[in-house]
Amino acid sequence: MKKLIFFIKQYTKRSLRKYGKEISIKNFSDDRNIYHEEYAEDSIVNRRFYNVGAGGHPDISIEHPYWTNLDIEGISRMKFGDSNIPEVMPYDMLHKQRLPIEDNSAEIILSQYSLEHVTNEAADFFFKESFRVLKNKGIIRIVVPNIELDLRAYKNNDRAYFFWADWYSVDPIKHGLNTPMNQASLEQVLISHFAASASTLHIADNPKKINDEEFQDVLQSSAIEDALDYCTSRCRIELQKDFRYNHINWWNSNKLIKALMDAGFKDVYIAGPNQSSARIFRNNYYFEKKPNHVALTVEAVK
């Protein structure tokens, strides 16, 4: 098969060359020139581009020689050529640890699919820490599940939107579930996406779990943000030690923008997949690899 592909490529190149055309394949994994054009050399040498996780998704580590990953210990180790890069710089967002970064030194802070795994208090602390460590004009980029999209899918009875229900049904116990998710009610699928341990699907004990009828009543009787807060308040936060992948928070654009502004950021705006004020984020070889139809992306400039 490899030989066949090689001959097809060679034939295509010769055919195009016959008509005065050339074909070339750009290596998008090598974007180092962009960093050298846009940023100070000391930032590149010291890898002052920080990807900050919260332990929920080990696969969000960025395998780039100019980036530093911060996350809880135990994330899989990465390799670049013959050089071993430490797996992560240990950091626990949930427990409001101070970022191990000097004041006014970071070029970029990225946190993708992490803030849904921590409390509001922990998120607010992280935003203030990010403001502290970023350089003037430095950028923070946040990617989280968008609760407004979840709610719209729930209202429209759109089970296909919650595509992960099938993934988590192959081995439900492994994913902390007592029932295959694709056999659950849409109410419980939704609750598990922002208040996991408050769902009746969760394998752990929690006397404050919310059944379908209670969830429907809360949505009908309360303002939507109050209803969502009610659900997250029923989570057992201490379970996060053993279930780091649990979602225990919700985010929409209003809540995220306000939190960033409260932390000191003035220029805050909604972005999108590979849409950014920072040129490096427009390369989807490294960024936006997860399904983005559920995502909310917001950036802020210090």
Side-chain angles (χ1 to χ4, degrees), residues 9 38 42 47 57 87 94 98 105 113 142 148 163 187 189 212-213 224-225 232-233 237 296 302:
K9 287 181 178 178
E38 301 279 339
D42 72 308
R47 298 167 54 219
H57 299 282
E87 54 179 30
L94 178 62
R98 182 180 171 88
S105 65
Y113 297 106
I142 304 295
E148 293 181 358
F163 64 91
E187 285 80 6
V189 173
D212 293 1
E213 293 74 19
I224 189 62
E225 295 193 354
T232 55
S233 73
I237 304 301
L296 167 68
K302 180 175 177 180

Side-chain angles (χ1 to χ4, degrees), residues 11-284:
Y11 176 79
T12 302
K13 288 181 179 179
R14 287 196 298 269
S15 298
L16 288 170
R17 195 176 297 121
K18 180 179 179 180
Y19 296 98
K21 304 292 185 181
E22 289 288 343
I23 186 170
S24 62
I25 300 174
K26 185 173 182 179
N27 182 6
F28 288 102
S29 65
D30 188 2
D31 62 350
R32 289 172 292 180
N33 64 302
I34 298 176
Y35 289 81
H36 290 281
E37 292 169 5
E38 301 279 339
Y39 301 102
E41 284 299 312
D42 72 308
S43 293
I44 293 170
V45 171
N46 292 293
R47 298 167 54 219
R48 290 178 175 154
F49 306 84
Y50 298 95
N51 176 45
V52 187
H57 299 282
D59 58 343
I60 62 172
S61 291
I62 296 174
E63 299 187 23
H64 192 288
Y66 297 162
W67 278 77
T68 297
N69 293 285
L70 292 86
D71 211 323
I72 63 170
E73 297 184 73
I75 302 300
S76 58
R77 192 172 294 275
M78 300 176 299
K79 290 184 178 181
F80 299 98
D82 295 328
S83 300
N84 288 329
I85 303 296
E87 54 179 30
V88 292
M89 183 183 292
Y91 176 72
D92 193 338
M93 186 187 297
L94 178 62
H95 291 99
K96 297 188 286 188
Q97 286 187 349
R98 182 180 171 88
L99 283 169
I101 305 170
E102 296 176 358
D103 293 3
N104 307 304
S105 65
E107 298 283 1
I108 298 283
I109 297 288
L110 168 66
S111 186
Q112 47 187 339
Y113 297 106
S114 296
L115 295 175
E116 66 272 21
H117 300 276
V118 303
T119 61
N120 287 331
E121 294 76 17
D124 289 341
F125 185 84
F126 168 69
F127 292 144
K128 291 174 182 176
E129 279 292 283
S130 297
F131 188 84
R132 173 183 66 81
V133 304
L134 279 168
K135 289 182 175 181
N136 186 38
K137 303 300 182 183
I139 291 176
I140 183 172
R141 182 176 175 89
I142 304 295
V143 184
V144 288
N146 188 342
I147 193 66
E148 293 181 358
L149 298 178
D150 287 13
L151 289 167
R152 186 178 302 136
Y154 169 71
K155 180 179 179 181
N156 293 335
N157 197 32
D158 180 8
R159 293 192 73 97
Y161 170 89
F162 302 94
F163 64 91
W164 54 88
D166 288 330
W167 294 357
Y168 297 165
S169 298
V170 176
D171 188 353
I173 293 177
K174 176 182 177 182
H175 296 286
L177 303 173
N178 55 36
T179 303
M181 189 176 283
N182 59 11
Q183 297 177 19
S185 68
L186 204 55
E187 285 80 6
Q188 296 307 317
V189 173
L190 172 57
I191 295 170
S192 68
H193 202 221
F194 74 98
S197 61
S199 167
T200 60
L201 291 174
H202 203 281
I203 200 169
D205 289 334
N206 181 5
K208 297 182 178 181
K209 289 182 178 180
I210 302 168
N211 62 33
D212 293 1
E213 293 74 19
E214 182 179 6
F215 182 65
Q216 293 166 3
D217 181 64
V218 169
L219 284 183
Q220 293 172 3
S221 62
S222 307
I224 189 62
E225 295 193 354
D226 292 337
L228 297 171
D229 283 341
Y230 172 81
C231 293
T232 55
S233 73
R234 304 290 287 270
C235 291
R236 283 184 58 195
I237 304 301
E238 63 270 20
L239 291 175
Q240 289 304 100
K241 178 180 179 181
D242 297 317
F243 298 92
R244 281 285 183 163
Y245 50 83
N246 278 183
H247 292 190
I248 57 173
N249 208 342
W250 62 270
W251 296 93
N252 62 16
S253 57
N254 289 339
K255 179 179 176 180
L256 187 49
I257 289 171
K258 182 180 185 302
L260 286 164
M261 295 186 73
D262 287 347
F265 294 96
K266 303 300 181 186
D267 185 7
V268 186
Y269 48 91
I270 296 174
N274 307 122
Q275 298 173 349
S276 177
S277 294
R279 184 178 165 197
I280 57 175
F281 284 129
R282 300 171 201 161
N283 181 353
N284 63 8

